[in-house]
Amino acid sequence: MGAAHSASEEVRELVGKTGFSSDQIEQLHRRFKQLSGDQPTIRNLRKGSSGLADEINFEDFLTIMSYFRPIDTTMDEEQVQLCRKEKLRFLFHMYDSDSDGRITLEEYRNVVEELLSGNPHIEKESARSIADGAMMEAASVCVGQMEPDQVYEGITFDDFLKIWQGIDIETKMHVRFLNMETIALCH
């Protein structure tokens, strides 16, 4: 009884901390166990100058996943905008690997190269060109016409918000919770 009470207390705390329902937490816990091989942590995440952890436990996993929580239909416009800003801040920090508040060309190149590294048809130089072009477009959106000798230092969070303005991030950056019975029928 004590262990069950403690587990339900822990779930209630996680509901409050993450905004997920207890059913969603249960589904995410099953997925976490699959990803971790039924271990208490997911290991071998990149660690380096970016400060990414070597391993994460279930609570860390839930915290990260909470940024991808679907928008609650009962939220007012101010709450939706706050949620949007939190998602974008999380995304910004994924690019800003040195946490200096600015996404530099080098940081952006690293992310693009990493994302495209699994595609055998795109060479590293092509990935760099894609990143360079995107950074030039960001500069034009954020700074406007630049002088020939002007150097774009990188994307600040305010710049990042400008770039994402008008893009429906709420429907593109969220977790979908599928009916597990329906999935079982598909196999």
Side-chain angles (χ1 to χ4, degrees), residues 53-101:
D54 186 38
E55 63 183 24
I56 60 170
N57 63 24
F58 179 62
E59 188 172 338
D60 296 334
F61 176 78
L62 263 186
T63 300
I64 292 167
M65 294 304 294
S66 71
Y67 287 100
F68 303 97
R69 186 177 70 245
I71 297 289
D72 185 342
T73 55
T74 63
M75 289 180 165
D76 64 26
E77 186 59 31
E78 186 176 325
Q79 291 170 313
V80 169
Q81 289 306 315
L82 181 62
C83 184
R84 173 186 172 78
K85 196 170 186 176
E86 286 174 7
K87 285 182 180 191
L88 289 171
R89 188 174 306 281
F90 177 80
L91 189 58
F92 178 83
H93 287 298
M94 289 177 60
Y95 289 94
D96 181 19
S97 61
D98 64 3
S99 301
D100 69 349

Side-chain angles (χ1 to χ4, degrees), residues 25 41 54 92 103 128 133 149-150 152 170:
I25 290 172
T41 61
D54 186 38
F92 178 83
I103 302 168
R128 289 177 72 89
D149 61 343
Q150 187 177 357
Y152 185 56
E170 293 79 13

